[in-house]
Amino acid sequence: MPEPGTISRLRLSGLCFLLQTFTILLFAAFVRFSPESSPGHCSQPPNCSRRVQESGLQLPRFRDVHLQTLLGFGFLVAFLSRSGPGSVATSILVLAFAIQWALLLQGFLHHFQNGKIHMGAQSMVHADFGAAAALISTGAVLGRVNPAQMLVLTLLGVTLFTLNEYILLSLLGVSDSGGSVTVHTFGAYFGLLVSRMLRQPHGDQWEEQQDTGHPPDVFAVVGTICLWIFWPSFTTATSAHGSAEPWALLNTYFSMAASTMATFVLSPVLYDKSTLHMVQIQDATVAGAAVMGMAGEMLVTPFGALIAGFLAGLIPPLGFRFLTPFLHSRLNIQDTCGVHNVHGLPGVLGALLGTLLAGLATADAYGGRLELVFPQLAGGGRSRTEQALLQLSALLLSLLLAGLGGCLTGAVLRMGALGMASSERCLQDMEVDEEGGEHRKEPGTSTLV
Amino acid sequence: MPEPGTISRLRLSGLCFLLQTFTILLFAAFVRFSPESSPGHCSQPPNCSRRVQESGLQLPRFRDVHLQTLLGFGFLVAFLSRSGPGSVATSILVLAFAIQWALLLQGFLHHFQNGKIHMGAQSMVHADFGAAAALISTGAVLGRVNPAQMLVLTLLGVTLFTLNEYILLSLLGVSDSGGSVTVHTFGAYFGLLVSRMLRQPHGDQWEEQQDTGHPPDVFAVVGTICLWIFWPSFTTATSAHGSAEPWALLNTYFSMAASTMATFVLSPVLYDKSTLHMVQIQDATVAGAAVMGMAGEMLVTPFGALIAGFLAGLIPPLGFRFLTPFLHSRLNIQDTCGVHNVHGLPGVLGALLGTLLAGLATADAYGGRLELVFPQLAGGGRSRTEQALLQLSALLLSLLLAGLGGCLTGAVLRMGALGMASSERCLQDMEVDEEGGEHRKEPGTSTLV
Amino acid sequence: MPEPGTISRLRLSGLCFLLQTFTILLFAAFVRFSPESSPGHCSQPPNCSRRVQESGLQLPRFRDVHLQTLLGFGFLVAFLSRSGPGSVATSILVLAFAIQWALLLQGFLHHFQNGKIHMGAQSMVHADFGAAAALISTGAVLGRVNPAQMLVLTLLGVTLFTLNEYILLSLLGVSDSGGSVTVHTFGAYFGLLVSRMLRQPHGDQWEEQQDTGHPPDVFAVVGTICLWIFWPSFTTATSAHGSAEPWALLNTYFSMAASTMATFVLSPVLYDKSTLHMVQIQDATVAGAAVMGMAGEMLVTPFGALIAGFLAGLIPPLGFRFLTPFLHSRLNIQDTCGVHNVHGLPGVLGALLGTLLAGLATADAYGGRLELVFPQLAGGGRSRTEQALLQLSALLLSLLLAGLGGCLTGAVLRMGALGMASSERCLQDMEVDEEGGEHRKEPGTSTLV
């Protein structure tokens, strides 16, 4: 009889093979390149001038693909500082699968015509939003589930994310171009609920984990830099019209700067130690960006971004100091990378801010931008109050879906949908994983069992 | 009575809060988004074609914002290799505040209309130049002042930088698009004079510091990469017309390549050890870029950039070997990150080269580019010699302003403008800081006292 | 009499000086900026609208220069994870010289008019392809030759690369925009043959080397991120028309995602250890990108990229497990960074795939894209079968040239073209180098002898 380690290694191998084969078959059956992304319809050069001109204007957006697809890696590096490079291999696995899976599901919902999905560069950007949400979710359980479970979590998480996004953006007409609700809030609470379902009886090991987070602070430096590089363009990637971009972009920068200042205001007061860890600044940067996800393109004055960013920057220090221990001790929710403080609450704050701004939106203040940000409001089909209520209901709906979906996913992972019948054996497997987790200080290795 | 550590932590917290609140109030009162960065004036889509086309041409510039704003972080990482990750948190604080402050001051000088500052994406790029100068200045004193002092240094440094830049670029019509004089020379000498004012009686500790610079050489690798990625676009970010860009861009690449070769020529001769530290290559890269700041868009033949870069690449090895010890032992100037060798002298060399090239500029060699690079020369309002003299006087003026401003700022920091009355207590506080400095090897922590 | 270490340090210094001076002289004599990259011909602003518009469409390509030139650094970081930061200084030296040299040679072959080379931003991108091939070649011998030998290897390697590229792309009309054959296959086999010629009698030291590769796995993380950021745009940088880009871009992303999955399928089966090293994922990423070099713009359905990427991702784990030990023990070929598994074989696979796709290319499937990808096929001057045979012969020709050139270069390096007469002394010098190699664990230092 083979050892348990061998079994779980082969299980991971088989699951990867199965999922990739399945994805390839679906791609073969359904996915085609969109004709718009090629000059296929224009064979005579002289007539192509209009098209070339259009594609010239499109090119910066194609360039975005380079940057946005990498956003996931920004996340990755951001997580490294908390969980060590041991988990990075797993995170890349999540990313590689999530992008393919999100492309397929979003394609079926948005770009399905004549039995084929027509995909272009923009599809890749949208798929990356799904991958980002999946990575946020895994942040809550990183180091406590094995890669095979991580794949199942990704499969279900991306599916629910796509469903939620479709309901919010397409059906309800909610404006959330940077994903305060769809990416940050949904991803964080989905992950937290999964973590709640996978709670372990011996919680003292967790405190220890927090301490081992310091050595790879090199990653926090690199992560912070990646966030400053890639996040503002991420937040503005799906805003429909290029010319509306700069405001969201600049607002995000302002918000990140102010949230960094906020951490320097609060940390010296909260902590006795006279040192400030890089990872705290990184948390502030993420929070400052998350709060601008929805409101970024709605804010018409820069100081609003400064205030929102300052408030968002206060959340992570307070959260790690007071909320995370409370969640852990009372609600039995372990949050390995602190996604609740860094993505969840700032996302909720961003959604509330977006609701407020939607309620205040007037044609006077927005001018021609109104139809870009709130097309249905500008078209007269909807009042300001209705739009604001929809923005708020988007938050509640996402929380509901994330909660239910997280419980479901957690139950699936516990039940042993990964080929294990008894939950006892699942626990045993987890302990093997924990042993692997102890080797985490060895850089660059990822437990496969 | 609270401990001194607590007092200085609370002082930092209070100062951050004060500055951020003050900035938010100023933003609220004065800063608005520029209407050009939005399609606000164009509500009917059919009429927007011209505007969209324009903004299409503008888009790459907006993209620049992503990259340039990060330049500051390139600096950051570049400094890490000398001062350790312990100082990075402080540097990010400097950056977060400097960008906001530079935006405000530059806005008042350049974009103040009808009682409001109208800012767009380009304002962000300009503000980043100010932040870069501030970061260079802090490089001279990194690890020897506390974060609160760093903030005051930033406040005064950015103010003087903006003033100097305004005089040079707007009043005198000097051409310095990449900041050889305004950013590198000004930043370096300002920092050196501040360092001179903050000199400490026991200088032996410094030699030791130099040695501890080796472990984080990982940062030198990442820093060098960041420099190659971001600096050429930084150097060319503010050149007025997109079509003039490529020359400055390519010249910067050539200069960086040649300065790297120069380090390999000189280092084996100067040092007995058979090893070459990554940080030396990084220094060469910075020097090669600094020398192209002014001359980049003036050089009409690529080999000029190779020669200038080669000469600039000789400066850091010679400087660290002969000049830095001399400055330290004779002039009592400690230069923690060696900004004099890496930014100061190459910047001066770049300014001299720019002077030479301005004196040689003819319409024959430049063609239509003349009006882009030297608009007043092309317009006939100024002769070649006058332009050259102005370029030279810009260097002298910057050195003067940096010197006076640095002395003033150093005096302010010494005097205890940070809430301390007696200079004895300030010294005591510094010693606390030095103790913190000894913990610097612990990665990712920043002393807050 | 000076020590041998001093001699070889001065030799390196002299060689660098010589090569840089020689390059500067050639640049001074021949290289000028291309007038297209400046608005030189357009002195009246009103008439410039057309030109500005054109350059507006060109701008994203200029932006590419920023990114592509850095690709070399992506390689660099990728190699770090195997050979340690000790070699990075040498690699940057290679890069700095290779870019200048490739610019000159490619200029003579492609852009030589009226006695001058007219270079623009695009020339820089092409030169970077040469630098990339040189860096791949050095990957096979990294840590076993001294920097002076590395420079000679670069000199000869870039020369042969340029010759090979000229024959393939310009004379034969082969389509290989991403360099599956010209960059990956040529670079890898050239390096392997050089390595074969420089074989050392005591091969047991090599096994040990493999083990020391683990600590700097931090670099594998950064390297993988750099690859995801820069490679897709590298692969598509030289495709003639912007509008054909997205397919190659998206295909490369798909291929990289699938090859990552493949590594997770195969590694658990091949290795008993329950850990997956980051460097394996990096290898998969490179392989997935290399296989798309030629076929990227030919694949009209995304699932083809997934399948090709999946197959390419299987090569590195199999290669490192079975092929590398075989090459080492039987053929006496040491492959320090495993370029054969990561660049060589995936490049060959990509060439075979490109041959197949060229043979299947029909105007129906490609539409207007046909003339972009296969201009001579679309023009009627060539049949599908002829194009396919040419693609195949390109592979064989490259292998032949790489083999002959590698043997020649290795012989030159052995003979002591670096100022040493007796081969015995060359060996002695190498042993000095090996001693330096033992210090490799000290980060950030590079042996100069």
Side-chain angles (χ1 to χ4, degrees):
Chain A
M1 187 187 133
E3 293 176 51
T6 312
I7 291 176
S8 59
R9 276 193 289 116
L10 294 182
R11 182 155 29 94
L12 171 63
S13 172
L15 187 63
C16 285
F17 184 71
L18 207 75
L19 286 175
Q20 185 63 64
T21 312
F22 184 56
T23 313
I24 289 179
L25 290 178
L26 285 177
F27 265 70
F30 295 114
V31 182
R32 295 295 175 271
F33 282 122
S34 158
E36 291 103 84
S37 64
S38 82
H41 294 265
C42 166
S43 48
Q44 295 94 331
N47 296 345
C48 286
S49 61
R50 196 187 51 83
R51 174 165 293 277
V52 169
Q53 194 171 332
E54 273 171 12
S55 74
L57 295 175
Q58 285 288 320
L59 272 178
R61 209 151 276 291
F62 294 149
R63 177 77 45 245
D64 279 345
V65 187
H66 299 285
L67 300 174
Q68 264 77 51
T69 314
L70 262 295
L71 196 266
F73 284 91
F75 273 106
L76 262 182
V77 183
F79 284 152
L80 287 179
S81 53
R82 291 218 179 263
S83 66
S87 319
V88 71
T90 311
S91 301
I92 291 187
L93 176 65
V94 165
L95 189 69
F97 176 64
I99 285 182
Q100 300 178 46
W101 191 242
L103 253 174
L104 271 175
L105 293 183
Q106 293 176 341
F108 278 119
L109 285 177
H110 296 287
H111 307 291
F112 197 66
Q113 288 174 334
N114 306 324
K116 300 287 175 203
I117 297 166
H118 294 282
M119 67 154 293
Q122 194 66 18
S123 317
M124 205 78 186
V125 176
H126 284 283
D128 195 54
F129 272 69
L135 278 168
I136 291 174
S137 301
T138 60
V141 295
L142 211 57
R144 279 164 43 225
V145 301
N146 62 43
Q149 287 176 305
M150 211 63 120
L151 274 178
V152 176
L153 189 153
T154 307
L155 185 79
L156 297 174
V158 169
T159 309
L160 286 165
F161 163 82
T162 309
L163 186 68
N164 184 45
E165 194 195 41
Y166 182 70
I167 295 173
L168 262 52
L169 304 189
S170 298
L171 299 189
L172 298 184
V174 168
S175 174
D176 187 21
S177 67
S180 272
V181 165
T182 53
V183 175
H184 295 285
T185 309
F186 180 85
Y189 286 95
F190 179 80
L192 285 173
L193 269 289
V194 172
S195 178
R196 172 74 179 79
M197 296 298 287
L198 296 175
R199 68 185 179 280
Q200 293 161 26
H202 34 49
D204 46 341
Q205 169 237 4
W206 178 76
E207 301 295 335
E208 194 189 343
Q209 265 187 339
Q210 288 292 83
D211 276 359
T212 61
H214 293 176
D217 245 354
V218 154
F219 285 111
V221 176
V222 180
T224 307
I225 294 171
C226 281
L227 289 172
W228 277 82
I229 299 181
F230 296 119
W231 211 311
S233 49
F234 179 66
T235 306
T236 57
T238 58
S239 61
H241 297 260
S243 33
E245 263 191 42
W247 290 12
L249 193 74
L250 297 172
N251 279 329
T252 307
Y253 278 122
F254 288 135
S255 174
M256 285 157 83
S259 67
T260 303
M261 295 287 283
T263 287
F264 275 91
V265 170
L266 204 55
S267 286
V269 179
L270 285 182
Y271 297 96
D272 280 345
K273 293 175 296 180
S274 63
T275 56
L276 188 68
H277 287 288
M278 237 347 259
V279 79
Q280 294 177 276
I281 293 174
Q282 177 185 283
D283 291 342
T285 313
V286 178
V291 81
M292 277 297 113
M294 182 187 278
E297 59 177 358
M298 303 180 188
L299 273 166
V300 291
T301 47
F303 78 93
L306 286 177
I307 294 176
F310 192 82
L311 294 177
L314 298 176
I315 294 176
L318 289 171
F320 279 107
R321 177 86 164 145
F322 301 111
L323 199 58
T324 306
F326 174 80
L327 285 182
H328 184 236
S329 59
R330 298 301 158 93
L331 301 183
N332 243 324
I333 300 181
Q334 283 181 292
D335 184 3
T336 319
C337 297
V339 294
H340 188 227
N341 309 310
V342 173
H343 294 280
L345 288 180
V348 170
L349 181 66
L352 296 177
L353 181 63
T355 304
L356 180 71
L357 290 170
L360 297 173
T362 58
D364 280 356
Y366 277 70
R369 277 175 59 88
L370 191 63
E371 64 180 334
L372 303 178
V373 181
F374 302 113
Q376 283 162 296
L377 182 55
R382 189 179 280 181
S383 76
R384 293 208 304 265
T385 319
E386 283 169 2
Q387 181 71 40
L389 285 177
L390 276 174
Q391 301 283 129
L392 189 63
S393 67
L395 173 63
L396 301 176
L397 195 65
S398 293
L399 288 175
L400 187 72
L401 207 60
L404 291 180
C407 289
L408 180 80
T409 306
V412 168
L413 294 186
R414 270 189 91 81
M415 264 190 353
L418 308 171
M420 289 172 302
S422 73
S423 80
E424 189 190 349
R425 206 152 159 205
C426 175
L427 267 172
Q428 189 193 357
D429 192 63
M430 271 182 195
E431 279 175 90
V432 172
D433 184 23
E434 273 162 44
E435 280 170 33
E438 282 168 17
H439 297 120
R440 211 170 26 216
K441 287 147 209 164
E442 187 190 339
T445 63
S446 172
T447 48
L448 286 177
V449 291
Chain B
M1 189 185 133
E3 293 176 51
T6 311
I7 292 175
S8 57
R9 275 191 290 116
L10 295 182
R11 181 154 31 92
L12 171 64
S13 172
L15 187 64
C16 285
F17 184 70
L18 209 74
L19 287 175
Q20 186 62 64
T21 311
F22 185 56
T23 312
I24 288 179
L25 290 177
L26 286 177
F27 264 70
F30 295 115
V31 181
R32 296 293 175 272
F33 282 123
S34 160
E36 291 104 84
S37 64
S38 82
H41 295 265
C42 166
S43 48
Q44 295 93 334
N47 296 346
C48 285
S49 62
R50 197 188 50 82
R51 174 165 293 277
V52 168
Q53 194 171 331
E54 275 171 12
S55 72
L57 294 174
Q58 285 286 323
L59 272 181
R61 209 151 276 290
F62 294 150
R63 176 77 44 246
D64 279 345
V65 187
H66 299 285
L67 300 174
Q68 264 76 49
T69 313
L70 262 294
L71 196 266
F73 285 90
F75 273 106
L76 263 183
V77 183
F79 284 152
L80 287 180
S81 53
R82 290 218 179 264
S83 67
S87 317
V88 73
T90 311
S91 302
I92 290 187
L93 176 65
V94 165
L95 188 71
F97 176 63
I99 285 182
Q100 300 178 47
W101 190 242
L103 252 175
L104 272 175
L105 294 182
Q106 292 176 341
F108 279 119
L109 285 175
H110 295 287
H111 307 291
F112 197 67
Q113 287 175 335
N114 306 325
K116 299 289 175 202
I117 297 167
H118 294 282
M119 65 153 293
Q122 194 66 18
S123 317
M124 204 80 186
V125 176
H126 284 283
D128 194 54
F129 272 70
L135 279 168
I136 291 174
S137 301
T138 60
V141 294
L142 211 57
R144 278 164 43 225
V145 300
N146 61 43
Q149 287 176 306
M150 212 63 120
L151 274 178
V152 175
L153 188 153
T154 307
L155 185 78
L156 297 173
V158 169
T159 309
L160 286 164
F161 164 83
T162 309
L163 186 67
N164 184 45
E165 193 194 42
Y166 182 70
I167 295 173
L168 262 53
L169 304 190
S170 297
L171 300 188
L172 299 183
V174 167
S175 175
D176 187 22
S177 68
S180 273
V181 165
T182 53
V183 175
H184 295 284
T185 309
F186 180 85
Y189 286 96
F190 178 80
L192 286 172
L193 267 291
V194 172
S195 178
R196 172 75 180 78
M197 296 297 287
L198 295 176
R199 68 187 177 279
Q200 293 160 24
H202 35 49
D204 46 341
Q205 168 238 6
W206 178 77
E207 301 294 338
E208 194 190 342
Q209 266 188 338
Q210 288 292 82
D211 277 1
T212 59
H214 293 178
D217 245 355
V218 154
F219 286 111
V221 176
V222 180
T224 307
I225 294 171
C226 281
L227 290 171
W228 277 82
I229 298 181
F230 296 120
W231 212 310
S233 49
F234 179 66
T235 307
T236 57
T238 58
S239 60
H241 298 258
S243 33
E245 262 190 45
W247 290 14
L249 193 75
L250 297 171
N251 278 330
T252 306
Y253 278 122
F254 288 136
S255 174
M256 285 156 84
S259 68
T260 302
M261 295 287 283
T263 287
F264 275 92
V265 170
L266 204 56
S267 286
V269 179
L270 285 182
Y271 296 97
D272 280 345
K273 293 174 297 180
S274 63
T275 55
L276 187 70
H277 288 287
M278 238 343 261
V279 79
Q280 293 177 277
I281 293 174
Q282 177 185 283
D283 291 342
T285 313
V286 179
V291 81
M292 276 299 113
M294 183 185 278
E297 59 177 357
M298 303 180 187
L299 274 166
V300 292
T301 48
F303 78 93
L306 286 176
I307 294 176
F310 191 83
L311 293 177
L314 299 175
I315 294 176
L318 289 171
F320 278 106
R321 176 87 164 142
F322 302 112
L323 198 59
T324 305
F326 174 81
L327 286 181
H328 184 235
S329 59
R330 297 301 158 93
L331 300 184
N332 242 324
I333 299 181
Q334 284 181 293
D335 185 1
T336 320
C337 297
V339 294
H340 188 227
N341 309 310
V342 173
H343 295 280
L345 288 179
V348 170
L349 181 66
L352 296 176
L353 181 64
T355 304
L356 180 72
L357 290 170
L360 297 172
T362 59
D364 281 357
Y366 278 70
R369 278 175 57 88
L370 191 62
E371 64 179 333
L372 303 179
V373 180
F374 302 114
Q376 284 163 296
L377 183 54
R382 189 180 279 181
S383 77
R384 292 208 303 265
T385 321
E386 284 168 2
Q387 181 71 40
L389 285 176
L390 276 174
Q391 302 283 129
L392 188 64
S393 67
L395 173 62
L396 301 175
L397 194 65
S398 292
L399 288 175
L400 187 72
L401 206 59
L404 290 179
C407 289
L408 180 80
T409 305
V412 167
L413 293 185
R414 269 191 91 79
M415 265 191 353
L418 308 172
M420 290 171 301
S422 73
S423 80
E424 189 191 349
R425 205 149 160 206
C426 174
L427 266 173
Q428 190 194 355
D429 192 62
M430 271 183 195
E431 280 175 90
V432 172
D433 185 22
E434 274 163 43
E435 279 171 32
E438 283 168 17
H439 296 121
R440 210 173 22 220
K441 288 147 209 163
E442 187 191 339
T445 63
S446 172
T447 48
L448 287 177
V449 291
Chain C
M1 188 187 133
E3 293 176 52
T6 311
I7 292 175
S8 58
R9 275 192 290 119
L10 295 182
R11 182 155 29 93
L12 171 63
S13 172
L15 186 64
C16 285
F17 184 71
L18 209 75
L19 286 175
Q20 185 63 64
T21 312
F22 184 58
T23 312
I24 289 178
L25 290 177
L26 285 177
F27 265 70
F30 294 114
V31 181
R32 295 294 176 272
F33 283 122
S34 160
E36 292 103 84
S37 64
S38 80
H41 293 265
C42 166
S43 48
Q44 295 94 332
N47 296 346
C48 284
S49 61
R50 197 187 50 83
R51 175 166 293 278
V52 169
Q53 194 172 332
E54 274 171 12
S55 73
L57 294 174
Q58 284 287 320
L59 272 180
R61 209 151 277 291
F62 294 150
R63 177 77 45 243
D64 278 345
V65 188
H66 299 286
L67 299 175
Q68 264 77 49
T69 314
L70 262 295
L71 196 265
F73 284 89
F75 273 107
L76 264 182
V77 183
F79 284 153
L80 287 180
S81 53
R82 291 218 179 265
S83 67
S87 318
V88 72
T90 312
S91 300
I92 290 187
L93 176 65
V94 165
L95 188 70
F97 176 63
I99 284 182
Q100 300 178 47
W101 191 241
L103 252 175
L104 271 175
L105 294 182
Q106 291 176 340
F108 279 120
L109 285 176
H110 295 287
H111 307 291
F112 197 66
Q113 286 176 335
N114 306 324
K116 299 288 176 204
I117 296 166
H118 295 282
M119 66 153 293
Q122 195 66 18
S123 316
M124 205 79 186
V125 176
H126 283 283
D128 194 55
F129 273 69
L135 278 169
I136 291 174
S137 301
T138 60
V141 296
L142 211 57
R144 278 163 45 224
V145 302
N146 61 43
Q149 287 176 305
M150 211 63 119
L151 274 178
V152 176
L153 188 153
T154 306
L155 185 78
L156 297 173
V158 169
T159 310
L160 286 165
F161 164 83
T162 310
L163 187 66
N164 184 46
E165 193 196 42
Y166 182 70
I167 296 173
L168 262 52
L169 304 189
S170 297
L171 299 188
L172 298 183
V174 168
S175 175
D176 186 21
S177 67
S180 272
V181 165
T182 53
V183 175
H184 295 283
T185 309
F186 180 86
Y189 285 97
F190 179 81
L192 285 173
L193 268 290
V194 172
S195 178
R196 172 75 179 81
M197 296 299 286
L198 295 175
R199 68 186 177 280
Q200 294 161 25
H202 33 50
D204 45 340
Q205 169 236 3
W206 178 76
E207 302 294 337
E208 194 190 342
Q209 266 186 338
Q210 289 292 84
D211 276 2
T212 60
H214 293 178
D217 244 355
V218 154
F219 286 111
V221 176
V222 180
T224 307
I225 293 171
C226 281
L227 290 171
W228 276 82
I229 298 182
F230 296 120
W231 211 310
S233 49
F234 179 67
T235 308
T236 58
T238 59
S239 61
H241 299 259
S243 33
E245 262 189 44
W247 290 13
L249 193 75
L250 297 172
N251 278 329
T252 307
Y253 278 122
F254 288 134
S255 174
M256 286 157 83
S259 68
T260 303
M261 295 287 284
T263 287
F264 275 91
V265 170
L266 204 55
S267 286
V269 179
L270 284 181
Y271 296 96
D272 279 346
K273 292 174 296 180
S274 62
T275 56
L276 187 68
H277 286 288
M278 239 343 261
V279 80
Q280 293 177 275
I281 293 175
Q282 178 184 283
D283 291 341
T285 312
V286 178
V291 81
M292 276 299 113
M294 183 186 278
E297 58 176 358
M298 302 179 187
L299 272 167
V300 291
T301 47
F303 78 92
L306 286 177
I307 294 176
F310 192 82
L311 293 177
L314 299 176
I315 294 176
L318 288 170
F320 278 107
R321 177 86 164 144
F322 301 113
L323 199 59
T324 306
F326 174 81
L327 286 181
H328 184 235
S329 60
R330 298 300 158 92
L331 301 182
N332 242 324
I333 299 180
Q334 285 182 290
D335 184 2
T336 319
C337 298
V339 294
H340 188 227
N341 309 310
V342 174
H343 295 280
L345 288 180
V348 170
L349 181 66
L352 296 178
L353 180 63
T355 304
L356 180 72
L357 290 170
L360 297 173
T362 59
D364 281 355
Y366 278 70
R369 279 174 58 89
L370 191 63
E371 65 179 334
L372 303 178
V373 180
F374 302 114
Q376 284 163 296
L377 182 55
R382 189 179 280 180
S383 76
R384 293 207 303 264
T385 320
E386 284 169 1
Q387 181 70 41
L389 285 176
L390 276 174
Q391 303 283 128
L392 189 63
S393 68
L395 173 64
L396 301 175
L397 194 66
S398 292
L399 287 175
L400 187 71
L401 207 60
L404 290 179
C407 289
L408 180 80
T409 305
V412 168
L413 293 186
R414 269 191 91 79
M415 266 190 354
L418 309 171
M420 290 171 302
S422 74
S423 80
E424 188 192 350
R425 206 153 159 204
C426 175
L427 266 173
Q428 189 194 357
D429 192 62
M430 270 182 197
E431 280 175 90
V432 172
D433 185 22
E434 274 163 44
E435 282 171 30
E438 284 169 17
H439 296 119
R440 213 175 17 221
K441 288 149 210 162
E442 188 189 337
T445 63
S446 171
T447 48
L448 287 177
V449 291

